[in-house]
């Protein structure tokens, strides 16, 4: 056979083999993607032991089925809403029959126009807004677009953020022309119940502190929007975490850390004094009142860094806040800020908030997370590397399987052991400068990170710690401000008397 003809045949065979290999490769790629997704889901399930650990997969399947079907009332509502808010079923059927009789081209041209529902303006006719459609996505989030008006009052302007609970949007109150933040909870039972608990906690806080003097975010309104609990708050700036992230994780200055830590202790102390534990303190839940900043050049980093102008903060997210007389879940707090008594399932109370604050202050000071892990045993190993050995009493009392004869069951020679050894060091070795201010800061952090909850510093004691002595009088809060004023007055009187004595004018 001539060489050229053989070459043609071989080329055609090569093409067919290439096509078959491509198909098999694509099939294997699809299967590997599904396997990768399932493996990733398993990893997430094994790592994530936060609030809603139990029966997650069953609840998710049930939630998706309920979401697809909805309750009978919701199905009736959606059917009627798709027709028109004012039309009956017979009128809808007549309209549908006439619509089908129209020529295709005419129907197509009309399909691009707004429905009567969208053309109808709300009661605030001066605003260019529209009524939203009531639909949820597969995860239970409310589907909305900018310009939608909820409750014929709140116009959605922008999306501010998203979390496991739902979304936060920027809204405008059309009644009083006021801009607020609206938290729209997923249409999922467990998040709906958590939102009701948050509303209850915020209501109790408002009763005790109507003027918001204790730096907890103010709830302005709440309502149930077709299964979505919605809570309106005062408009605030970025969280201290988001500012840190946007600033390439450049830490805050010591004076900024001092003021933010002082406010955090003051705010959470108010909760503790009213028999309430926040249980989810983290940098994401501390918001600046105003996150405007200046830009300064950092000689050490050889680049510009942001410096927030105003370090006034507010505490948010009371969805997991628990009163002393309420049921205490076994696991609380976000992983990196979780106290050892919670991990060891020994029970918890207000001291678990103090541990979280210690972790937060460290993160604000250095720009890094103190306990960067997603595994309980590794978390405990990090604690021992940074803070010393876990007390024998706590190890023996815990019913978890992390200890053997009172000692942490941990292989230091494993890859995880090397990771902990290389990335963690004793707490005071993280101190960047060896002066009195930095020593006092780390003394406060170390007292907040005491293993035994009963030996951990209280927030009342923390407010009197020497690290906060340099808080200016105009930045002090509540009784602390009155005490500082009386102290400064006493010092002024003493100084005047000493001057008079020296000058002979007693």
């Amino acid at each position: 056979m001539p060489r050229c003809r053989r070459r043609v045949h071989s080329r055609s065979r090569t093409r067919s083999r290439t096509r078959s290999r491509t198909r098999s490769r694509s099939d294997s790629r699809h299967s590997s993607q599904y396997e990768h997704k399932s493996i990733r889901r398993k990893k997430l399930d094994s790592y994530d032991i936060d609030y809603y650990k139990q029966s997650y997969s069953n609840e998710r399947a049930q939630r998706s089925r309920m979401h697809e079907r909805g309750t009978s009332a919701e199905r009736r509502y959606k059917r009627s809403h798709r027709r028109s808010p004012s039309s009956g079923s017979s009128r809808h059927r007549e309209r549908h029959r006439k619509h089908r009789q129209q020529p295709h081209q005419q129907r197509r041209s009309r399909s691009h126009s707004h429905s009567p529902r969208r053309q109808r303006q709300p009661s605030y006719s001066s605003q260019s807004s529209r009524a939203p459609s009531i639909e949820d996505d597969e995860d239970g989030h409310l589907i909305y677009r900018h310009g939608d008006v909820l409750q014929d009052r709140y116009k959605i302007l922008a999306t501010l953020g998203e979390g496991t609970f739902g979304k936060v949007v920027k809204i405008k109150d059309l009644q009083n022309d006021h801009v607020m933040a609206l938290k729209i909870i997923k249409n999922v039972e467990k998040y709906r119940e958590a939102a009701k608990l948050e509303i209850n906690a915020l209501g109790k806080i408002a009763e005790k502190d109507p003027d918001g003097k204790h730096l907890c975010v103010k709830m302005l309104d709440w309502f149930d929007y077709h299964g979505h609990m919605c809570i309106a708050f005062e408009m605030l700036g970025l969280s201290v975490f988001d500012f840190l992230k946007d600033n390439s994780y450049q830490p805050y200055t010591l004076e900024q850390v001092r003021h933010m830590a002082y406010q955090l202790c003051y705010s959470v102390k108010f909760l503790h004094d009213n028999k309430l534990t926040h249980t989810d303190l983290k940098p994401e839940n501390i918001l600046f009142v105003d996150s405007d900043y200046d830009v300064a050049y950092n000689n050490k980093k050889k680049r510009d860094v942001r410096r927030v102008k105003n370090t006034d903060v507010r505490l948010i997210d009371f969805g997991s806040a628990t009163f002393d007389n309420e049921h205490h879940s076994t696991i609380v707090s976000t992983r990196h800020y979780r106290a050892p008594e919670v991990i060891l399932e020994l029970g918890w109370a207000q001291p678990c908030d103090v541990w979280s604050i210690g972790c937060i202050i460290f993160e604000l000071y250095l720009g890094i997370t103190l306990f960067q892990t997603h595994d309980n045993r590794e978390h405990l190993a990090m604690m021992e590397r940074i803070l010393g050995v876990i007390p024998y009493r706590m190890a023996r009392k815990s019913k978890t399987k992390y200890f053997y004869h009172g000692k942490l069951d941990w292989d230091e020679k494993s890859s995880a052991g090397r990771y902990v050894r290389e990335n963690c060091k004793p707490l005071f070795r993280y101190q960047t400068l060896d002066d009195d201010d930095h020593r006092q800061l780390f003394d406060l952090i170390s007292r907040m990170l005491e293993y035994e909850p009963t030996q951990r510093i209280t927030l009342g004691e923390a407010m009197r710690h020497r690290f906060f002595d340099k808080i200016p009088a105009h930045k002090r809060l509540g009784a602390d401000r009155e005490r500082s004023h009386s102290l400064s007055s006493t010092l002024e009187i003493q100084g005047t008397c000493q001057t008079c004595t020296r000058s002979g004018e007693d």
Side-chain angles (χ1 to χ4, degrees):
M1 182 180 290
R3 184 176 298 175
C4 62
R5 194 173 295 176
R6 281 203 303 271
R7 193 174 297 146
V8 170
H9 284 298
S10 65
R11 197 172 293 143
S12 65
R13 284 196 298 271
T14 303
R15 286 198 195 98
S16 64
R17 282 198 296 271
T18 303
R19 281 195 295 269
S20 64
R21 278 199 300 271
T22 304
R23 280 196 300 271
S24 63
R25 196 177 295 121
S26 65
D27 293 340
S28 64
R29 192 187 303 116
H30 286 304
S31 63
S32 65
Q33 285 176 354
Y34 287 124
E35 289 172 2
H36 175 70
K37 287 181 180 178
S38 63
I39 290 170
R40 185 180 176 192
R41 193 177 294 116
K42 288 178 182 176
K43 285 184 179 179
L44 287 173
D45 287 342
S46 63
Y47 286 152
D48 184 14
I49 60 169
D50 291 335
Y51 309 104
Y52 309 107
K53 172 183 174 184
Q54 47 271 46
S55 64
Y56 175 78
S57 58
N58 294 336
E59 187 177 12
R60 185 177 177 84
Q62 183 181 2
R63 187 173 71 225
S64 63
R65 286 196 299 271
M66 289 182 64
H67 170 67
E68 290 173 2
R69 295 183 66 251
T71 64
S72 59
E74 288 171 344
R75 291 198 297 275
R76 285 196 299 273
Y77 176 80
K78 289 180 179 179
R79 284 198 296 271
S80 63
H81 183 78
R82 281 196 295 270
R83 298 166 192 167
S84 175
S86 60
S87 64
S89 58
S90 59
R91 193 180 306 169
H92 169 71
R93 284 195 295 271
E94 180 66 20
R95 189 185 298 115
H96 182 64
R97 185 179 61 78
K98 291 180 180 179
H99 175 75
R100 292 188 62 182
Q101 291 174 355
Q102 291 174 352
H104 173 72
Q105 193 67 26
Q106 186 178 357
R107 289 205 308 269
R108 187 177 178 184
S109 64
R110 287 193 178 186
S111 66
H112 293 284
S113 64
H114 291 294
S115 65
R117 173 71 174 175
R118 295 191 186 279
Q119 288 176 351
R120 185 173 67 84
Q121 295 293 330
S123 55
Y124 306 95
S125 56
S126 61
Q127 302 292 333
S128 59
S129 53
R130 58 184 182 76
S133 58
I134 316 302
E135 292 183 75
D136 302 335
D137 65 15
E138 60 183 6
D139 292 324
H141 289 289
L142 176 68
I143 297 175
Y144 61 85
R145 285 189 288 179
H146 299 164
D148 283 351
V149 177
L150 311 183
Q151 301 290 95
D152 284 335
R153 177 175 178 179
Y154 300 113
K155 181 178 180 179
I156 298 177
L157 304 178
T159 301
L160 298 176
E162 179 178 339
T164 55
F165 60 87
K167 296 183 180 181
V168 179
V169 297
K170 181 180 179 180
I171 61 169
K172 184 176 184 180
D173 186 349
L174 300 178
Q175 275 190 1
N176 53 27
D177 200 30
H178 184 58
V179 174
M180 300 184 294
L182 185 70
K183 188 175 180 179
I184 306 175
I185 307 299
K186 286 180 183 177
N187 191 2
V188 177
E189 183 63 24
K190 65 181 179 182
Y191 298 122
R192 197 159 44 240
E193 292 303 316
K196 292 177 183 177
L197 295 175
E198 179 173 16
I199 291 167
N200 177 57
L202 287 166
K204 297 287 180 62
I205 290 170
E207 289 176 8
K208 298 286 185 178
D209 183 24
D211 299 325
K213 293 180 179 178
H214 290 88
L215 313 184
C216 297
V217 67
K218 290 181 68 174
M219 178 177 67
L220 303 176
D221 190 15
W222 70 269
F223 53 91
D224 186 340
Y225 188 74
H226 304 284
H228 296 271
M229 299 303 296
C230 299
I231 312 175
F233 297 101
E234 58 183 323
M235 195 68 185
L236 299 170
L238 290 174
S239 72
V240 298
F241 172 78
D242 286 330
F243 190 94
L244 192 68
K245 182 178 68 174
D246 294 346
N247 201 23
S248 302
Y249 295 96
Q250 291 301 306
Y252 296 94
T253 65
L254 184 68
E255 291 308 316
Q256 290 175 332
V257 172
R258 194 195 311 271
H259 186 220
M260 288 188 282
Y262 173 80
Q263 293 173 90
L264 184 57
C265 290
Y266 177 79
S267 182
V268 180
K269 178 182 178 297
F270 164 73
L271 302 181
H272 292 184
D273 290 344
N274 287 280
K275 304 184 184 304
L276 187 63
T277 308
H278 188 283
T279 78
D280 195 20
L281 295 173
K282 53 185 177 181
E284 292 90 331
N285 287 340
I286 306 165
L287 269 57
F288 287 116
V289 173
D290 184 354
S291 50
D292 284 349
Y293 58 87
D294 293 319
V295 178
Y297 185 75
N298 188 318
N299 288 319
K300 190 175 181 181
K301 298 291 182 180
K302 303 297 181 185
R303 62 179 175 185
D304 289 337
V305 295
R306 299 176 181 181
R307 289 286 176 253
V308 67
K309 294 179 180 179
N310 182 4
T311 48
D312 290 347
V313 296
R314 294 292 182 271
L315 185 61
I316 69 163
D317 197 351
F318 295 84
S320 304
T322 306
F323 287 95
D324 289 355
N325 60 352
E326 291 180 331
H327 170 71
H328 284 41
S329 304
T330 304
I331 300 297
V332 292
S333 304
T334 299
R335 156 65 65 192
H336 313 307
Y337 312 95
R338 187 174 295 155
E341 65 267 24
V342 178
I343 298 174
L344 300 179
E345 299 180 9
L346 298 175
W348 54 267
Q350 278 85 5
C352 77
D353 279 348
V354 180
W355 177 281
S356 300
I357 292 174
C359 297
I360 291 168
I361 295 174
F362 178 95
E363 192 167 335
L364 299 178
Y365 171 78
L366 282 175
I368 59 175
T369 309
L370 181 57
F371 300 109
Q372 185 59 50
T373 181
H374 292 280
D375 177 76
N376 278 342
R377 200 182 302 270
E378 186 176 78
H379 198 166
L380 295 170
M382 286 182 167
M383 288 181 184
E384 290 204 332
R385 174 77 172 158
I386 295 170
L387 303 170
V389 178
I390 294 172
Y392 180 79
R393 187 202 69 81
M394 295 181 72
R396 293 290 289 177
K397 191 176 179 181
S398 174
K399 294 181 180 180
T400 59
K401 298 180 181 179
Y402 306 128
F403 297 90
Y404 182 73
H405 292 307
K407 292 185 178 180
L408 183 64
D409 187 9
W410 177 251
D411 184 5
E412 294 185 355
K413 297 180 180 179
S414 64
S415 59
R418 287 194 299 273
Y419 170 78
V420 170
R421 192 167 59 252
E422 291 170 2
N423 290 276
C424 301
K425 56 188 177 182
L427 180 65
F428 283 88
R429 287 177 56 187
Y430 286 100
Q431 192 174 310
T432 57
L433 288 176
D434 187 22
D435 61 16
D436 187 59
D437 280 342
H438 289 75
R439 282 193 295 270
Q440 292 300 331
L441 168 63
F442 273 81
D443 180 71
L444 175 62
I445 293 173
S446 67
R447 290 171 183 247
M448 289 180 166
L449 299 181
E450 281 284 349
Y451 283 121
E452 290 279 4
T454 55
Q455 296 177 12
R456 204 170 294 157
I457 191 172
T458 66
L459 293 180
E461 294 167 342
M463 294 285 293
R464 297 188 292 274
H465 192 275
R466 280 187 57 197
F467 177 64
F468 295 129
D469 285 352
K470 290 188 177 180
I471 293 287
H474 69 278
K475 290 187 176 181
R476 292 189 175 271
L477 300 164
D480 196 32
R481 173 179 291 181
E482 296 173 5
R483 188 163 53 247
S484 69
H485 280 313
S486 62
L487 179 62
S488 61
S489 300
T490 303
L491 292 174
E492 287 176 3
I493 292 171
Q494 290 176 350
T496 304
C497 291
Q498 289 174 359
T499 303
C500 293
T501 301
R502 283 196 301 270
S503 61
E505 299 175 0
D506 192 0

